[in-house]
């Protein structure tokens, strides 16, 4: 887990940097006032559900009760304790695909430029970047790929179906030599 | 051979630019070494003992002549004029410059090649039977399925940061030449009574520090569900595989810890949500993929040509030796598959020079419809050679030093790059391979020994598959000194088994002598027509051990 956050980190949402209203708190109690992203258990126990939001650890196993509660959250954050911990990708994807979660899913923690594009494809739509990351490079990194082979949150059609659709619509593009 | 369409081509080109930008930011100091590591290995780039190493993907071992020619050019221009074929049927360049790598990747993209996911904690290059499409015992051609898996796994956004690497092997033949039992996932394609393709799915096999044989998680998956089922397996692994200890992070450890029944339950639970979703395959997707792997325009071969080939084989001993060892039967009469041996004591096992690559590409054009296969035994195969051309091809291969008639024998050993190149090595492996090849040079002796797999790895990572060698050699480090541990009784294929350690390890210079003693026991104990592995299975480790360690 990263050190407690004291000042806002660069927040990316909707293809640009925006002002972050939310501070992360890892304490066992919620702050008395102000918007804060707190531990899931703290959030579940609090009655400030609109000005507090939960963060989920990467090993979260979502049960029905938690899912129902999360629907009320202003946003759900998923923690990346280390950028190489890939569990958060599955957590986000399951939230979106299986539980039809439509609110903000924010990546928190060791969030680096070169993972953003894959996080987006798994359903994240907001990123609290680690302080040292360069926002301009981060915004560029989203444009790495113009198409995808497999189904993902931003691509409901796998490549084999896209090819079939395109072959119907017009002559297929010729295979390259 | 799969040919890229506009989508595939765009994706590899976009990947090159993505990596070029990452490399630029790394060289400018904007990405730390630690954070660059996963990015570069996801593009096959290692920083090795003496220089970077670039591992280029050869998806399921299929290579076109124009691709091999380009690989030869790249090795000449950016490296020291040679490359190394690995047991995962990839090609490694040992001396590229770090800053050249984006340009090398751009060159590769011009011939529909890349280095995507040849390393890293992601889904790696899928491997298959080197005789797929031509084997007589094949029920289902695995290649279209391999390509579907390649596309599904390429840039899979959820699975770039798995606990560890993830390897899939596929076979569609009754004789398993793809070692599916020692992969994270092994797939056996078969046909049910209605002629529909079904998939037997094994999970949790693997070599490395804790070798294990995979267990069956599903016997008869209908083909439509292949991708969703794989996705369920990898998701369960991503979420529950251990991340606290990299030696316990492979799916085999998770499978073992949960037990295969619990593993199956979790996979099926996950799959229930994915099943019948948009990644469910349809017939058109299979047909479209299969249309890339059509039968080449073979000609009718006259019975008289077959007869002259057989006659030559009877009358020319050297030719007969080559045919017996390096030529494999084909499902089409009059055609054969010819294995080019990359095993000779003058070059490291699996190494090929740029000139050889160019020459082999020409031979593929002239004799085998411009296609080749790379085998996990680190050889190359021309799969469609007409019998009336085999003699000519044999002479040309001989001139190139690629006609060693020793495929499948002790001299055809598998060997990882080891301490000469690899930063992880405990010990060198290539000098051991060469010492063994030099000691056992006599063809008569090699043939008398019969089929024998000798596999060498320079460390526990087992890139040289030492556990499944009939004789396995593993480099170990004891207080900074290089030693070699020998195991016996491993095997791959349908009756896969893991070798047992003979006893305390040996100095490098003693290894050929120890192998000699092991072979003496075999020769002394064997019954008529009994192979090494059969003798071992009958008599066990003890007689070998007693003789080798006798004072
Ligand atoms: S087995 Fe070890 S020494 Fe050999 S290539 Fe693999 S990691 Fe390197």
């Amino acid at each position: 887990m990263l050190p407690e956050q004291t000042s806002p980190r660069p927040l990316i949402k909707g293809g640009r940097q925006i002002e972050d209203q939310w501070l992360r708190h890892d304490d066992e109690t919620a702050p008395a006032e102000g918007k804060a992203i707190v531990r899931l258990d703290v959030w579940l126990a609090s009655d400030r559900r609109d000005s507090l939001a939960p963060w989920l650890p990467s090993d979260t196993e979502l049960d029905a009760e938690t899912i129902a509660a999360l629907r009320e959250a202003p946003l759900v954050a998923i923690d990346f304790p280390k950028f190489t911990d890939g569990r958060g990708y599955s957590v986000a994807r399951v939230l979106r695909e299986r539980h039809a979660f439509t609110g903000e899913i924010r990546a928190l923690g060791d969030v680096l430029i070169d993972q953003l594009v894959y996080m987006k494809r798994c359903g994240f739509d907001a990123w609290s970047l680690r302080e040292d990351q360069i926002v301009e490079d981060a915004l560029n990194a989203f444009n790495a790929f113009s198409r995808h082979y497999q189904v993902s949150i931003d691509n409901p059609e796998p490549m084999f179906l896209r090819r079939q659709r395109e072959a119907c619509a017009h002559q297929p593009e010729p295979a390259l030599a | 051979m799969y040919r890229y369409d506009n989508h595939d081509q765009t994706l590899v080109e976009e990947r090159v630019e993505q990596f070029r930008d990452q490399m630029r930011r790394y060289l400018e100091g904007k990405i730390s070494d630690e954070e660059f590591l996963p990015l570069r290995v996801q593009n096959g780039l290692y920083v090795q003992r003496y220089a970077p190493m670039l591992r280029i993907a050869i998806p399921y071992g299929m290579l076109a002549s124009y691709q091999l020619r380009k690989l030869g050019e790249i090795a000449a221009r950016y490296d020291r004029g040679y490359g190394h074929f690995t047991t995962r049927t990839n090609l490694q360049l040992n001396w590229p410059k770090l800053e050249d790598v984006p340009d090398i990747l751009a060159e590769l993209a011009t011939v529909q090649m890349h280095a995507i996911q040849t390393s890293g904690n992601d889904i790696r290059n899928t491997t298959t039977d080197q005789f797929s499409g031509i084997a007589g015992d094949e029920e289902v051609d695995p290649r279209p399925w391999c390509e579907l898996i390649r596309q599904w796994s390429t840039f899979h956004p959820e699975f770039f940061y798995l606990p560890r690497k993830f390897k899939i092997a596929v076979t569609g033949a009754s004789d398993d030449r793809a070692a599916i039992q020692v992969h994270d996932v092994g797939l056996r394609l078969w046909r049910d009574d209605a002629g529909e393709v079904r998939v037997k799915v094994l999970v949790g096999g693997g070599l490395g520090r804790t070798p294990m044989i995979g267990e069956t998680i599903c016997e008869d998956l209908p083909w439509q569900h292949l991708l969703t089922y794989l996705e369920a397996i990898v998701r369960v692994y991503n979420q529950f595989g251990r991340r606290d200890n990299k030696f316990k992070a492979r799916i085999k450890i998770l499978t073992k810890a949960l037990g295969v029944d619990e593993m199956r339950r979790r996979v099926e639970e996950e799959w229930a949500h994915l099943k019948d979703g948009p990644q469910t395959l349809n017939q058109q997707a299979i047909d479209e993929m299969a249309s890339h792997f059509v039968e080449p325009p073979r000609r009718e071969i006259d019975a008289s040509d077959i007869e002259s080939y057989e006659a030559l084989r009877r009358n020319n001993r050297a030719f007969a030796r080559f045919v017996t060892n390096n030529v494999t039967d084909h499902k089409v009469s009059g055609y054969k598959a010819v294995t080019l041996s990359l095993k000779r004591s003058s070059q490291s096992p699996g190494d090929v020079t740029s000139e050889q690559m160019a020459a082999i590409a020409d031979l593929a054009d002239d004799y085998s419809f411009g296609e080749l296969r790379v085998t996990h035994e680190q050889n190359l195969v021309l799969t469609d050679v007409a019998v009336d051309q085999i003699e000519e091809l044999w002479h040309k291969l001989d001139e190139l030093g690629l006609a060693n008639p020793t495929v499948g024998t002790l001299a055809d050993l598998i060997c990882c790059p080891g301490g000469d190149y690899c930063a992880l090595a405990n010990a060198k492996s290539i000098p051991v391979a060469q010492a063994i090849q030099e000691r056992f040079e006599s063809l008569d002796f090699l043939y008398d020994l019969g089929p024998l797999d000798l596999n060498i790895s320079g460390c526990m990572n087992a890139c040289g598959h030492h556990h499944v060698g009939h004789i396995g050699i593993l480099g170990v480090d004891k207080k900074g000194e290089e030693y070699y541990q020998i195991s016996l009784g491993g095997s791959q294929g349908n009756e896969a088994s893991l070798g047992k350690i003979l006893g305390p390890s040996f100095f490098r210079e003693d290894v050929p002598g120890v192998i000699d003693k092991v072979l003496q026991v075999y020769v002394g104990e064997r019954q008529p027509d009994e192979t090494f592995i059969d003798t071992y299975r009958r008599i066990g480790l003890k007689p070998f051990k007693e003789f080798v360690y006798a004072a």
Side-chain angles (χ1 to χ4, degrees):
Chain A
M1 206 177 299
L2 291 170
E4 190 89 350
Q5 191 187 338
T6 48
S7 64
R9 304 159 124 217
L11 180 72
I12 292 187
K13 195 175 178 182
R16 62 200 177 90
Q17 183 176 8
I18 60 168
E19 197 192 330
D20 193 358
Q21 317 253 327
W22 298 83
L23 276 183
R24 173 177 176 155
H25 272 258
D26 290 341
D27 292 352
E28 279 174 33
T29 51
E33 55 186 33
K35 292 188 172 180
I37 301 176
V38 299
R39 288 175 12 181
L40 178 62
D41 56 334
V42 173
W43 181 76
L44 286 171
S46 91
D47 48 13
R48 271 211 304 133
R49 289 219 180 157
D50 49 345
S51 56
L52 294 179
W55 64 264
L56 311 180
S58 61
D59 60 357
T60 301
E61 285 181 55
L62 297 163
D63 55 44
E65 215 173 313
T66 314
I67 297 287
L70 289 181
R71 289 189 200 287
E72 310 292 308
L75 68 92
V76 171
I78 297 172
D79 183 44
F80 286 81
K82 191 86 196 82
F83 76 100
T84 47
D85 182 340
R87 288 174 288 194
Y89 296 85
S90 292
V91 176
R93 192 158 177 195
V94 167
L95 260 183
R96 286 268 188 252
E97 261 176 11
R98 187 167 314 161
H99 304 296
F101 184 82
T102 52
E104 174 181 319
I105 301 184
R106 178 181 297 203
L108 215 57
D110 203 19
V111 179
L112 311 183
I113 289 170
D114 293 287
Q115 287 78 47
L116 298 178
V117 62
Y118 311 118
M119 290 181 180
K120 176 162 185 259
R121 297 195 54 205
C122 288
F124 288 92
D125 58 357
W127 294 270
S128 174
L129 292 180
R130 203 175 66 188
E131 289 84 348
D132 61 349
Q133 302 295 290
I134 296 164
V135 171
E136 193 192 331
D137 289 338
L139 293 174
N140 279 333
F142 285 106
N143 306 322
F145 298 108
S146 60
R147 59 203 75 202
H148 308 292
Y149 282 124
Q150 54 297 94
V151 169
S152 55
I153 304 304
D154 60 351
N155 179 53
E157 185 184 45
M159 187 58 84
F160 62 84
L161 289 183
R162 176 170 175 173
R163 287 183 170 124
Q164 290 172 17
R165 176 170 57 76
E166 289 172 348
C168 275
H170 37 76
Q171 288 300 309
E173 291 181 86
L176 303 175
Chain B
M1 183 88 195
Y2 184 74
R3 296 284 168 124
Y4 283 9
D5 70 1
N6 169 48
H7 295 303
D8 303 299
Q9 187 66 33
T10 304
L11 275 166
V12 291
E13 288 171 6
E14 288 173 343
R15 175 60 154 192
V16 173
E17 290 317 309
Q18 183 195 38
F19 188 61
R20 197 185 288 286
D21 183 58
Q22 290 168 343
M23 178 69 88
R24 175 185 62 76
R25 288 186 285 121
Y26 170 67
L27 294 173
E28 287 171 1
K30 291 178 179 164
I31 307 181
S32 70
D33 282 336
E34 186 207 356
E35 285 156 14
F36 187 54
L37 190 149
L39 307 179
R40 63 174 165 76
V41 295
Q42 284 160 4
N43 280 289
L45 177 60
Y46 280 75
V47 174
Q48 287 284 53
R49 189 158 281 214
Y50 304 110
M53 179 272 275
L54 180 66
R55 185 182 291 153
I56 297 165
I58 300 176
Y60 38 96
M62 287 203 77
L63 198 54
S65 57
Y66 64 90
Q67 294 175 320
L68 184 59
R69 221 169 262 126
K70 176 59 86 179
L71 291 172
E73 281 170 35
I74 289 174
R77 185 161 350 130
Y78 296 99
D79 205 298
R80 298 192 181 169
Y82 67 96
H84 170 79
F85 285 106
T86 73
T87 52
R88 267 210 94 60
T89 77
N90 294 313
L91 182 86
Q92 292 183 180
L93 297 178
N94 287 309
W95 309 96
K97 285 209 207 64
L98 200 64
E99 55 279 16
D100 282 345
V101 170
D103 290 337
I104 298 176
L105 297 179
E107 290 258 344
L108 287 172
T110 65
V111 290
Q112 314 192 352
M113 295 190 86
H114 58 74
I116 296 161
Q117 290 165 226
T118 52
S119 181
N121 294 338
D122 45 38
I123 304 173
R124 301 286 189 87
N125 186 19
T126 298
T127 48
T128 189
D129 183 350
Q130 68 252 32
F131 298 122
S132 54
I134 60 145
D137 67 339
E138 184 170 278
E139 268 178 274
V140 183
D141 183 349
R143 294 170 301 170
W145 304 90
C146 287
E147 179 58 26
L148 283 162
I149 294 169
R150 184 190 78 81
Q151 297 192 8
W152 161 77
S153 60
T154 297
F155 310 139
H156 198 301
E158 196 179 335
F159 303 141
F160 262 114
Y161 294 93
L162 297 172
R164 241 354 222 118
K165 55 191 166 185
F166 199 88
K167 298 177 176 180
I168 302 174
V170 191
T171 181
S174 52
D175 192 5
D176 171 19
R177 287 170 290 262
I180 64 166
Q181 298 186 61
V182 288
H183 279 77
D184 295 292
V185 161
L187 303 175
R188 163 72 160 94
L189 307 167
W190 56 282
R191 280 185 200 282
D192 64 17
D193 292 341
E196 289 285 313
V197 173
R198 300 269 187 150
V199 192
K200 175 171 169 166
V201 184
L202 308 182
V203 71
L207 299 175
R209 187 169 294 242
T210 322
M212 285 185 201
I213 301 288
E215 297 194 73
T216 303
I217 186 167
C218 181
E219 284 284 353
D220 53 1
L221 185 73
W223 58 267
Q224 292 87 339
H225 304 301
L226 179 63
L227 298 183
T228 52
Y229 199 85
L230 287 174
E231 189 145 311
I233 294 175
V234 186
R235 183 174 290 163
V236 167
Y237 171 55
N238 188 36
Q239 296 204 278
F240 301 107
R242 284 181 64 171
R243 290 172 183 269
D244 57 332
N245 178 342
K246 78 171 193 169
F247 299 116
K248 300 200 164 147
R250 296 285 289 270
I251 197 173
K252 61 191 170 189
I253 305 288
L254 178 66
T255 309
K256 187 89 184 162
L258 295 176
V260 69
D261 293 328
E262 173 61 13
M263 187 72 186
R264 182 183 302 112
R265 192 194 64 73
R266 292 198 192 189
V267 167
E268 303 248 327
E269 189 178 289
E270 192 61 47
W271 184 48
H273 299 285
L274 298 166
K275 188 170 180 270
D276 299 320
Q279 285 198 132
T280 307
L281 291 165
N282 60 18
Q283 190 62 48
Q284 199 182 334
I286 308 301
D287 293 346
E288 204 272 330
M289 215 40 100
S291 71
H292 288 275
F293 301 93
V294 287
E295 302 286 338
R298 303 185 188 101
R299 55 196 160 82
E300 279 294 317
I301 306 295
D302 291 341
S304 63
D305 287 327
I306 299 179
E307 181 39 42
S308 3
Y309 163 78
E310 293 296 345
L312 183 68
R313 194 177 167 181
R314 281 192 299 275
N315 301 325
N316 181 332
R317 183 142 176 261
F319 184 68
R321 287 175 148 172
F322 177 74
V323 169
T324 304
N325 293 284
N326 300 30
V327 174
T328 308
D329 283 341
H330 197 291
K331 67 179 182 185
V332 176
S333 156
Y335 276 83
K336 302 279 179 188
V338 175
T339 301
L340 284 53
S341 170
L342 304 184
K343 312 295 172 62
R344 53 284 191 230
S345 51
S346 57
Q347 274 174 278
S348 304
D351 275 13
V352 197
T353 65
S354 288
E355 295 76 38
Q356 285 170 330
M357 287 191 233
I360 295 168
D362 290 344
L363 293 180
D365 282 337
D366 293 344
Y367 296 97
S368 194
F369 304 98
E371 283 181 16
L372 303 107
R373 311 283 176 89
V374 185
T375 76
H376 74 272
E377 288 97 1
Q378 302 174 285
N379 291 316
L380 296 172
V381 179
L382 297 178
T383 45
D384 278 280
V385 184
V387 289
D388 55 3
Q389 295 197 298
I390 291 183
E391 187 193 4
E392 199 178 287
L393 173 62
W394 171 56
H395 288 302
K396 294 194 175 172
L397 289 174
D398 200 31
E399 283 163 28
L400 291 168
L402 298 167
N404 255 4
T406 55
V407 172
T409 71
L410 175 66
D412 188 24
L413 41 75
I414 292 179
C415 179
C416 82
D420 290 294
Y421 299 101
C422 175
L424 303 170
N426 284 326
K428 292 192 180 192
S429 52
I430 293 168
V432 178
Q434 287 174 334
I436 292 169
Q437 286 170 327
E438 276 161 26
R439 173 143 185 164
F440 304 103
E441 249 180 353
S442 150
L443 285 179
D444 287 324
F445 182 62
L446 291 174
Y447 294 155
D448 179 59
L449 292 174
L452 222 171
D453 295 344
L454 186 144
N455 299 356
I456 311 175
S457 304
C459 79
M460 268 304 185
N461 284 323
C463 304
H465 299 176
H466 64 276
H467 302 106
V468 290
H470 301 152
I471 300 175
I473 302 179
L474 166 67
V476 290
D477 174 282
K478 279 198 210 161
K479 303 202 180 87
E481 293 244 33
E482 298 188 356
Y483 283 85
Y484 296 86
Q485 188 180 72
I486 293 181
S487 56
L488 300 181
S491 83
Q492 54 187 20
N494 292 4
E495 290 172 63
S497 56
L498 302 169
K500 289 211 176 79
I501 297 167
L502 190 60
S505 13
F506 304 94
F507 291 121
R508 185 188 305 160
E509 48 279 20
D510 296 335
V511 170
V514 173
I515 304 298
D516 190 46
K517 285 189 177 170
V518 166
L519 297 174
Q520 283 180 42
V521 173
Y522 161 58
V523 169
E525 295 284 340
R526 70 179 161 188
Q527 294 179 349
D529 292 331
E530 201 175 45
T531 62
F532 179 89
I533 187 68
D534 290 338
T535 301
Y536 172 87
R537 284 179 175 153
R538 181 170 54 78
I539 68 175
L541 192 67
K542 205 157 155 249
F544 292 96
K545 190 174 179 136
E546 282 170 1
F547 188 64
V548 167
Y549 291 100

